[in-house]
Amino acid sequence: MPRIDFTAPLIVTDAEDRLVADWSTLQEFVGRSFENTDIIGYFGQSIEDVPVAVLLERSGDIQILANLQNDGLIAKSSLRSVRALSTNELDILQNHVEGTWSDGVGEGLDLDEMNFHIDLDHVDRQQVDDGLVSHGSGTRDLFPSIHAGDIERVRAAIENGENVNAILGGTTTLGWAIAFADAPIAHLLIDSGVDVHYLEHGMQTVLVSCAASRNLSDGDAASVAARLLTIDGFDQNEIQRAVEIAEQRGKTSLLDVLRGRSA
């Protein structure tokens, strides 16, 4: 199945911000990669991006390769899709990759006291069918069904083997159900074994999201939190953080549930 490669020249400077162009120095970096550069970790936060995001595996770190056109370096991020993307889908994905390269993980790349800047004016892309099978996000219909608030479609997607623990836009299926204020779907996902301790957006579990969501009503937040708290693993600091947010939001029913647990 297709591998999608995005490449762009790398501009290298030293600690004094002087351009480094000597190949004997640059070649030492060929084959290396930068840590914590998952360029599609948050792809899919916009509804418009979801149809493309569900096709992709969670991957896409930034690697350093030799630029075959000159004695320089290029940045490369490779993604894998369940099928070939259309031109429009590639445009959507490229827009995200370039945004992440410029404002996200690619903003401050450095190795061995050298600084690396991606030249966004010369980004290239290609799709290569390398014959390897990809399952993408593990779900083609589950996230769209949650977004649509269609619990029967959600149930069918789960019964068809779609991955209840898939991540889209940095958020689990349960996180999306809470974001879309759909308590019945949230309960279904919990009953289906979703990981309730995953850190949404790298910062908080869904217990805190119940308190923070402005769309999830107090009663619905309380019902979901009560179900969550029957599952072990929520520490007192997290419960207290949820209490603080629930107080700010005026969610009194949720506060009763949280305080009953932490008392």
Side-chain angles (χ1 to χ4, degrees):
M1 292 297 174
R3 187 188 74 238
I4 306 162
D5 297 331
F6 290 94
T7 58
L10 274 173
I11 300 168
V12 185
T13 59
D14 63 17
E16 280 75 43
D17 204 30
R18 295 174 300 197
L19 181 67
V20 178
D22 177 56
W23 178 242
S24 64
T25 299
L26 296 178
Q27 67 179 342
E28 297 297 322
F29 297 97
V30 173
R32 298 177 64 178
S33 61
F34 301 97
E35 295 181 356
N36 303 317
T37 56
D38 179 1
I39 64 168
I40 62 167
Y42 293 102
F43 184 46
Q45 288 186 321
S46 298
I47 298 301
E48 298 78 12
D49 297 341
V50 169
V52 181
V54 296
L55 301 174
L56 304 175
E57 291 182 5
R58 293 186 66 216
S59 61
D61 61 338
I62 302 175
Q63 300 175 312
I64 302 175
L65 301 177
N67 190 336
L68 300 180
Q69 298 180 358
N70 56 49
D71 287 338
L73 302 175
I74 59 172
K76 177 181 179 181
S77 291
S78 295
L79 311 174
R80 196 170 291 282
S81 172
V82 299
R83 61 163 173 79
L85 301 187
S86 68
T87 298
N88 181 62
E89 290 171 332
L90 281 170
D91 288 342
I92 291 171
L93 180 56
Q94 182 169 338
N95 183 63
H96 172 80
V97 170
E98 291 183 358
T100 305
W101 276 356
S102 62
D103 299 323
V105 298
E107 188 175 32
L109 300 174
D110 62 83
L111 285 172
D112 300 349
E113 299 183 352
M114 296 286 187
N115 303 307
F116 297 79
H117 311 274
I118 300 175
D119 182 0
L120 296 176
D121 292 329
H122 297 89
V123 176
D124 189 24
R125 73 191 189 197
Q126 64 175 332
Q127 295 191 86
V128 179
D129 189 350
D130 56 12
L132 298 179
V133 175
S134 170
H135 298 288
S137 67
T139 166
R140 297 285 291 275
D141 196 48
L142 185 52
F143 282 109
S145 300
I146 293 170
H147 291 179
D150 189 333
I151 193 169
E152 292 309 317
R153 278 180 59 197
V154 170
R155 194 186 313 276
I158 295 171
E159 291 175 352
N160 287 333
E162 294 202 8
N163 182 11
V164 72
N165 284 312
I167 308 297
L168 193 73
T171 306
T172 63
T173 54
L174 180 55
W176 278 115
I178 290 171
F180 281 82
D182 200 313
I185 289 179
H187 282 287
L188 173 59
L189 293 167
I190 295 169
D191 291 339
S192 299
V194 69
D195 180 7
V196 301
H197 297 297
Y198 181 84
L199 294 181
E200 304 286 326
H201 305 295
M203 297 178 290
Q204 63 190 32
T205 63
V206 288
L207 182 63
V208 174
S209 296
C210 281
S213 175
R214 296 184 183 275
N215 296 321
L216 194 66
S217 71
D218 182 24
D220 283 348
S223 73
V224 174
R227 178 70 180 85
L228 289 171
L229 288 171
T230 65
I231 303 170
D232 292 333
F234 293 98
D235 62 39
Q236 292 301 314
N237 289 334
E238 182 181 0
I239 294 172
Q240 183 56 39
R241 177 58 180 153
V243 166
E244 293 169 357
I245 297 173
E247 288 175 336
Q248 296 170 3
R249 298 285 192 266
K251 293 185 175 182
T252 56
S253 297
L254 177 57
L255 282 170
D256 289 341
V257 170
L258 295 170
R259 286 172 171 157
R261 171 71 178 188
S262 58

